Amino acid sequence: MNIDTHWLEQTVFARKLSDEELTALSSIMQAGRAAQGEEIVSQGEPGGILYILRSGTAVVQHGAPKPIDVATVGEGAVVGEMSFLTDASASASVVAKIECEVYLITRSGFSELMNRHEDLAFRLFVYILRHTASVIRHMNEEHISMMQYIGGSRMGA
């Protein structure tokens, strides 16, 4: 399976990549597929792999034996980033809702990229941070809505 470098240039890196950079990326990034219902990330598993959804839709789930759907993610989403960055085990599972194409980067591959192509690694890191900030922003909005609902319910509104 080939990596769509044009998509990466537009979506992740926000610039045209040189042939040298494309070669470096192809040496540390793998393309994979997850069939509908297949786990991309398994809660409790060791971390160390970052996944970028190239296409498809997946559901983030927490808990066992009866998982709760926490979020739905699609093209461009980053998953596994918390355990990738912290080396903690995965705090949630990510299950393909429909077939997904994913790009995988290991922590050691990212370290190699940092050593050889700082700007590329920096841009990837910024992409991860922007995605994470978006998730946190959404969680804050949900929390505020919930608190407003609870506050209104208690006041008889």
Side-chain angles (χ1 to χ4, degrees), residues 82-128:
M82 288 171 43
S83 59
F84 176 78
L85 294 171
T86 65
D87 203 26
S89 59
S91 61
S93 294
V94 180
V95 180
K97 193 171 185 177
I98 60 172
E99 183 177 76
C100 294
E101 183 178 354
V102 295
Y103 297 151
L104 298 77
I105 301 173
T106 63
R107 187 178 297 110
S108 63
F110 185 75
S111 293
E112 181 181 323
L113 192 65
M114 283 192 311
N115 289 329
R116 296 185 180 179
H117 296 277
E118 288 178 3
D119 183 60
L120 209 54
F122 177 76
R123 286 179 182 266
L124 178 57
F125 190 66
V126 166
Y127 186 76
I128 295 167

